Amino acid sequence: EAAGVVEALGPGVKGLAVGDRVAYVLKTGAYRQRRTLDAAHLVKLPDGVSDDVAASVMLKGLTAQYLVTSTYEVKAGDTVLVHAAAGGVGLLIGQWLKALGATTIGTAGSAQKLELARAHGYSHVINYREQDFVSVVKEITGGRGCEVVYDSVGHDTWRGSLKCLKRFGMFANFGQSSGLIRDFALSDLAAGSLSACRPTLFDYIAERSDLERRSADLFARLTSGEVRADTIARRPLEEAASVHADLEARRTVGATVLVP
């Protein structure tokens, strides 16, 4: 994910002009000063969305958007569990869920991260290093469980995530910060007639119309203040390797923007 300014246009490009502020999300290649790419991947930035914010939300914000509107359409009154609640997606999705009227439960690994999650919309927070999140979720929900679990942690949490669902609940695994899920079997879903999926953003924005629609929804919520992307660390692009080390060690909160 990246944001920048259009410096030149190729022949036949319409809808963009030199000087336009734009952003994009692709599978690879954002770590650079300049880039030539197909204009179909670019979206214009509204005045109320800064370059730093745009560079931090094209992947994470659009992920939050499709998770709560399409993977499982969250409704007012739903109870939702989100792992890594103080991460880049977690902070955005907590606010989005609050705006939708859901009861939100977030897990994180330190008191600082729990405080940050609570400040970004979570109704309840759980320190997974000190507490059994399954037991706490059962207590919070009166034993009923959650309609959906959004799990980007993977290996360490998936079995517990399934136990946190009510009948017909949805397990949405969209990442694996602790490692890939292994030994999963369809029979694991039998306890409650559960559903499970492994969504990826690029399927949800494969069509230009989907990219435009989902980006417009994200930008509208940002400019209205309903969702804030206010936890952003700026680091020089030259420090990319150490930033990755911090990410792998879970030392970061929110988003990190690399500045060329």
Side-chain angles (χ1 to χ4, degrees):
E1 54 191 341
V5 176
V6 175
E7 293 187 346
L9 298 174
V13 174
K14 297 179 180 180
L16 291 173
V18 172
D20 281 348
R21 297 172 55 245
V22 293
Y24 67 86
V25 56
L26 292 171
K27 292 183 179 179
T28 60
Y31 292 12
R32 61 185 71 201
Q33 295 171 301
R34 289 180 175 83
R35 183 172 198 177
T36 302
L37 77 168
D38 192 320
H41 296 305
L42 297 173
V43 292
K44 285 188 180 181
L45 295 177
D47 290 339
V49 177
S50 70
D51 290 355
D52 276 9
V53 167
S56 77
V57 299
M58 287 302 292
L59 178 67
K60 292 174 278 293
L62 288 176
T63 296
Q65 197 279 342
Y66 84 72
L67 285 172
V68 304
T69 65
S70 301
T71 300
Y72 174 87
E73 187 176 358
V74 177
K75 304 173 292 299
D78 283 349
T79 301
V80 181
L81 173 63
V82 181
H83 291 298
V89 175
L91 294 179
L92 297 173
I93 206 171
Q95 299 170 78
W96 209 308
L97 291 168
K98 181 179 180 180
L100 293 174
T103 296
T104 49
I105 306 170
T107 71
S110 71
Q112 176 197 11
K113 290 184 176 182
L114 293 178
E115 182 179 351
L116 189 62
R118 195 183 291 278
H120 285 76
Y122 286 91
S123 313
H124 308 273
V125 292
I126 302 169
N127 188 328
Y128 68 85
R129 296 185 190 278
E130 299 177 356
Q131 299 170 285
D132 173 21
F133 72 83
V134 176
S135 298
V136 180
V137 168
K138 295 289 187 184
E139 180 180 347
I140 292 170
T141 63
R144 294 183 299 275
C146 304
E147 274 77 15
V148 60
V149 176
Y150 294 120
D151 188 338
S152 63
V153 178
H155 178 271
D156 290 352
T157 51
W158 74 271
R159 290 189 185 276
S161 293
L162 294 181
K163 294 176 183 177
C164 291
L165 289 169
K166 61 172 53 175
R167 278 184 299 162
F168 311 119
M170 167 66 77
F171 170 61
N173 169 241
F174 64 100
Q176 54 276 328
S177 62
S178 68
L180 292 171
I181 292 176
R182 303 188 187 280
D183 301 322
F184 173 82
L186 282 177
S187 58
D188 292 321
L189 303 178
S193 298
L194 307 176
S195 298
C197 62
R198 179 57 177 89
T200 62
L201 170 63
F202 297 103
D203 289 321
Y204 286 87
I205 58 171
E207 301 296 329
R208 173 71 189 179
S209 59
D210 290 328
L211 173 62
E212 291 177 340
R213 175 175 58 86
R214 295 187 188 281
S215 296
D217 186 15
L218 172 62
F219 295 157
R221 292 179 186 274
L222 288 167
T223 54
S224 72
E226 195 170 73
V227 174
R228 310 184 318 276
D230 57 0
T231 307
I232 301 173
R234 289 169 57 91
R235 300 272 293 273
L237 178 60
E238 294 79 10
E239 295 181 9
S242 62
V243 171
H244 276 265
D246 288 343
L247 285 168
E248 292 175 25
R250 303 189 197 179
R251 289 190 290 264
T252 64
V253 295
T256 302
V257 172
L258 300 176
V259 184

